[in-house]
Amino acid sequence: MVELGKRLAIQIWLAFALAFIAPVLICLWLVIASPPEIDRKFLDIIGNVVQVFATGASLFIIPIGAFIYGMLSNVRTLAKSYPVRFNRQRREVCYIDDTTHRVLIVPWESVVAWVARSQGVTGYGALRDYTFGMGLEDEEHDTVQFILMAQPSDVHALGMWASIRNYMEEGELVDTPNPMLVLLGLTPTEDELKPYEGLHTFEIERKGARFMGSLDDGAEDLTAEQRHRYGYGKRTRWPLRWWYVRRVLTFWKMPYLIAEWAHRKGRPTLPDSVQAWSQPLPPEQWAKPSPALQKANALVKHAMDKKGINFVDACKAAGLH
């Protein structure tokens, strides 16, 4: 949503530039470039030119309105859509039907996942579509609940599954701190641990920009050539000037306010049974993976670490594909 808010700001600036900045520049050019026999005065022509360009810029209302409608529609859709929840302690997956609100909880080891690729030919060339899918077996109704998510490539689709599997099997990025933060000796703040975009994202980005700018401090005894050779930036009194310029052009915190609002509106309240299911368990009550899964994970890990092959080939080598 932050990125969409920045794109909205760019569209507003384009309309503003067409309505006011462009006519001013054109009138200045006409006044300066006119031959002496043609007496053009800036104030005499600017009014009519601005009126013409402003009328044309009013057509931007259509694409800007369509863009805003798309953003609101996306938020409205998310407000009615329940997220799929993965409980690592119970080793279960929870799906809630958006229409009937029926709760389906299945064991993690019964989940089936796949990556699908389709290709079509148009007048403009070949098009490829990639989809990451999961199947949750509903034993009560003897059906399978399919969950499909479009992805930009098969690598992204496989990465989606790898992140889910990594969370459920290894718990990395959950129980262990970010290695880069450990290396730098930094402790994540409460805002930095929030798993969504909002007003806190702006402060995080500014903190990161200040940190990157501080990397160029020091090394006063180096020449400009040596600074470039060793990776230092150019000396400047305000290293974050372009960062602030970009934020001003995107209306400062407006995109982050939109993201904050979308987060508050973007998810329905979970049923009480799911909220209870989501509560943490004491470690002694955590579900354990089956011996068959432990063996399969060991085979895949051995193939990836020792043979240096990717996840798909490791599954094939282990007879799991």
Side-chain angles (χ1 to χ4, degrees):
M1 292 302 296
V2 168
E3 182 63 26
L4 292 178
K6 292 178 180 179
R7 295 181 184 181
L8 176 61
I10 292 174
Q11 295 183 55
I12 295 175
W13 272 111
L14 289 175
F16 179 81
L18 179 62
F20 301 104
I21 299 178
V24 169
L25 295 177
I26 291 175
C27 289
L28 286 175
W29 177 78
L30 289 175
V31 171
I32 296 174
S34 296
E37 59 270 16
I38 299 179
D39 185 20
R40 282 197 179 106
K41 295 182 179 179
F42 180 81
L43 296 179
D44 293 338
I45 62 176
I46 185 62
N48 293 330
V49 176
V50 168
Q51 184 177 1
V52 172
F53 275 80
T55 303
S58 63
L59 297 177
F60 270 83
I61 295 177
I62 298 176
I64 291 177
F67 190 83
I68 294 176
Y69 175 79
M71 293 176 61
L72 297 179
S73 297
N74 185 45
V75 174
R76 183 174 58 184
T77 300
L78 289 176
K80 300 178 181 178
S81 303
Y82 292 97
V84 179
R85 298 182 66 82
F86 297 85
N87 194 319
R88 187 166 55 92
Q89 296 179 1
R90 298 179 183 271
R91 296 186 65 79
E92 293 176 335
V93 180
C94 176
Y95 172 84
I96 308 174
D97 190 276
D98 298 336
T99 305
T100 63
H101 308 290
R102 179 175 177 269
V103 178
L104 172 64
I105 297 178
V106 301
W108 160 245
E109 295 188 19
S110 70
V111 174
V112 178
W114 66 90
V115 176
R117 178 176 61 181
S118 60
Q119 179 173 317
V121 180
T122 68
Y124 300 97
L127 298 178
R128 292 183 177 87
D129 296 319
Y130 303 91
T131 303
F132 168 70
M134 289 192 302
L136 310 180
E137 185 178 0
D138 187 349
E139 295 183 352
E140 181 180 348
H141 291 74
D142 195 23
T143 59
V144 176
Q145 176 62 53
F146 295 106
I147 302 172
L148 305 176
M149 289 173 283
Q151 298 292 325
S153 70
D154 52 356
V155 175
H156 288 82
L158 185 60
M160 173 70 75
W161 171 244
S163 64
I164 295 173
R165 180 177 171 272
N166 179 77
Y167 167 73
M168 294 296 288
E169 296 297 335
E170 305 295 339
E172 294 180 15
L173 305 181
V174 179
D175 295 336
T176 57
N178 188 314
M180 182 60 69
L181 296 179
V182 174
L183 182 64
L184 297 175
L186 301 176
T187 302
T189 63
E190 183 178 352
D191 283 341
E192 290 173 332
L193 294 175
K194 291 180 179 178
Y196 64 91
E197 293 179 325
L199 285 172
H200 62 280
T201 309
F202 179 88
E203 301 301 332
I204 293 173
E205 291 180 357
R206 178 156 56 181
K207 180 180 177 180
R210 287 174 175 172
F211 174 77
M212 296 303 296
S214 67
L215 296 179
D216 293 332
D217 295 340
E220 290 82 2
D221 56 330
L222 299 180
T223 64
E225 181 180 354
Q226 289 174 327
R227 289 179 66 88
H228 176 73
R229 178 181 178 183
Y230 297 131
Y232 286 95
K234 295 182 179 180
R235 290 190 178 93
T236 175
R237 296 182 179 179
W238 192 15
L240 303 184
R241 60 188 183 280
W242 292 117
W243 188 90
Y244 281 101
V245 167
R246 289 194 296 269
R247 295 310 178 277
V248 170
L249 291 178
T250 54
F251 302 118
W252 201 237
K253 293 186 178 182
M254 182 200 75
Y256 305 88
L257 285 169
I258 295 175
E260 187 78 27
W261 170 80
H263 169 71
R264 294 176 180 176
K265 300 291 184 181
R267 286 301 186 188
T269 303
L270 295 173
D272 293 339
S273 60
V274 177
Q275 294 189 34
W277 175 83
S278 301
Q279 296 302 313
L281 299 175
E284 60 271 12
Q285 296 182 17
W286 288 13
K288 304 297 182 182
S290 66
L293 181 60
Q294 290 179 333
K295 179 180 179 181
N297 285 335
L299 291 173
V300 172
K301 183 175 179 59
H302 175 78
M304 295 180 67
D305 293 344
K306 302 300 182 181
K307 300 181 181 180
I309 58 180
N310 58 40
F311 177 74
V312 175
D313 292 336
C315 289
K316 292 179 180 180
L320 304 172
H321 193 277

